[in-house]
């Protein structure tokens, strides 16, 4: 797998290396659980249209995505997970590693969250945040103001996990992911984890030593899904109106396993540090007694132009007034 991160003056490409398959496990199995033995990072300088290779480094384990990488004041920072992340013998740990502009390691904080892996990360200046998960969601907070001596300052453990973290001002994070519950497996010492709804959390990180889940919204039940969980470009933002939202397909297999589908569309929230999370608009079209959403009608992206908001679907676009959220029109295409 490969990752990509770019700053104003540099570009970074990553390439993961997987250990040889063992214990009857294929290379595909290893790749799926992201158990890379190491990852190479290649740095390129960027000056206008001139791009040239400058240096490289190798880190143990894997790098989740572009949000696990960052450049700040000439230093490159990366969040990694190494070791086994599955099974009773899981020994994985996570780390943040800091390199200078020549890709020489200058600082590291490691041995975090044994047996877990990183599900999301965000760097914000001299601060960093990562979410790891196995049975509960630890949000770790870091002080990176001294690149040669990075420190983990706080840890918040709550149910569920966030796969995407978005800054709300300087001291808050909005996390999107899943609410979960631990289920005992009969005849086994291991537990299973069940997703029981989509989860939107507002974290107050004003005090890095004591991060707080300030507000939370649970949407739907088991089976509920949003593209924004896996693709940050599906996450809708209107900064001037403090609006945040995402496409969503709502299910609840736990309450109604024979007919779990509830509806499809989008939800928008007003989010501020002062007021927390409040529903601004529920743009979900309810189920017409079908068991699943209709493929052609699933919302892919949410866009706005002036005072109109658009739900872009596979074969149609629905428009709404951005102030009242009243429906304006629908255009269908094939």
């Amino acid at each position: 797998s490969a990752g990509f991160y770019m700053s104003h003056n540099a570009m970074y490409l990553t390439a993961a290396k997987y250990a040889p398959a063992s214990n009857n496990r294929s290379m595909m199995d290893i790749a799926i659980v992201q158990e890379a033995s190491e990852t190479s990072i290649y740095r390129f300088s960027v000056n206008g249209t001139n791009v040239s290779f400058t240096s490289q480094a190798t880190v143990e384990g894997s790098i989740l995505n572009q949000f696990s990488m960052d450049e700040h004041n000439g230093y490159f920072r990366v969040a990694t997970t190494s070791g086994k992340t599955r099974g009773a013998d899981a020994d994985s740990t996570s780390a943040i590693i800091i390199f200078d502009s020549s890709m020489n390691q200058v600082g590291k904080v490691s041995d975090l969250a044994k047996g877990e892996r990183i599900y999301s990360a965000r760097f914000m200046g001299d601060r960093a945040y990562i979410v790891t998960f196995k049975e509960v969601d630890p949000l770790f907070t870091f002080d990176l103001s001294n690149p040669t001596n990075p420190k983990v300052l706080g840890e918040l453990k709550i149910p569920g996990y966030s796969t995407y973290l978005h800054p709300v001002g300087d001291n808050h994070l909005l996390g999107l992911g899943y609410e979960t519950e631990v289920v005992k497996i009969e005849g086994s010492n291991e537990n299973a984890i069940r997703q029981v709804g989509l989860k939107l959390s507002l974290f107050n990180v004003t005090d890095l030593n004591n991060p707080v889940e300030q507000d939370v919204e649970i949407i739907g039940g088991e089976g509920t899904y949003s593209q924004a969980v896996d693709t940050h470009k599906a996450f809708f933002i209107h900064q001037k109106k403090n609006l945040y939202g995402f496409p969503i397909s709502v299910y609840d297999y736990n309450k109604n396993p024979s007919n779990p589908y509830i509806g499809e569309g989008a939800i928008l929230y007003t989010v501020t540090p002062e007021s927390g999370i409040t529903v601004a608009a529920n743009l979900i079209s309810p189920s017409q007694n079908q068991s699943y959403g209709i493929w052609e009608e699933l919302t892919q992206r949410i866009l706005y132009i002036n005072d109109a908001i658009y739900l872009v679907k596979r074969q149609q676009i629905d428009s709404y007034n951005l102030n009242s959220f009243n429906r304006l029109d629908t255009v269908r295409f094939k």
Side-chain angles (χ1 to χ4, degrees), residues 87-268:
D89 59 344
D91 60 356
S92 59
T93 60
S94 294
I96 287 183
I97 308 168
I98 302 178
F99 300 89
D100 63 18
S101 58
S102 298
M103 294 304 289
N104 297 310
Q105 182 177 315
V106 297
K108 182 178 183 179
V109 55
S110 57
D111 296 324
L112 303 169
K114 185 175 180 180
E116 304 178 7
R117 72 170 177 88
I118 293 175
Y119 275 72
S120 59
R122 196 82 194 207
F123 291 88
M124 295 168 59
D126 288 333
R127 297 180 171 193
Y129 310 93
I130 66 170
V131 167
T132 63
F133 180 75
K134 186 173 184 180
E135 291 186 356
V136 294
D137 166 1
L139 169 71
F140 291 95
T141 60
F142 300 84
D143 178 3
L144 308 182
S145 56
N146 182 353
T148 63
N149 188 27
K151 296 178 180 178
V152 56
L153 295 185
E155 180 182 355
L156 172 66
K157 289 190 175 183
I158 53 176
Y161 58 91
S162 301
T163 62
Y164 177 65
L165 296 171
H166 189 86
V168 179
D170 294 329
N171 296 309
H172 289 76
L173 289 168
L174 194 59
L176 178 65
Y178 290 106
E179 179 74 341
T180 61
E181 65 180 16
V182 179
V183 180
K184 295 289 184 182
I185 301 176
E186 273 190 57
S188 172
N189 293 326
E190 292 191 38
N191 297 324
I193 304 300
R194 184 167 67 188
Q195 296 172 355
V196 292
L198 213 63
K199 182 178 184 180
L200 189 66
S201 298
L202 181 64
F203 299 105
N204 186 331
V205 289
T206 304
D207 181 359
L208 285 182
N209 294 286
N210 297 289
V212 175
E213 188 179 41
Q214 179 178 325
D215 204 355
V216 63
E217 185 88 5
I218 308 298
I219 310 106
E222 185 179 0
T224 299
Y225 174 73
S226 172
Q227 280 201 18
V229 167
D230 300 313
T231 306
H232 73 277
K233 291 183 179 181
F235 192 78
F236 173 83
I237 306 162
H238 192 307
Q239 285 188 314
K240 288 185 178 179
K241 290 182 174 290
N242 299 314
L243 282 176
Y244 301 84
F246 38 85
I248 190 168
S249 297
V250 185
Y251 290 81
D252 198 333
Y253 281 92
N254 188 39
K255 287 187 178 179
N256 193 356
S258 63
N259 192 17
Y261 180 62
I262 296 172
E264 189 282 331
I267 300 183
L268 303 178

Side-chain angles (χ1 to χ4, degrees), residues 10 14 22 40 50 60 64 71 74 117 155 182 195 256 310:
T14 72
S22 60
S40 297
N50 296 318
E60 290 186 11
L64 179 63
E71 187 186 88
R117 72 170 177 88
E155 180 182 355
V182 179
Q195 296 172 355
N256 193 356
Y310 302 88

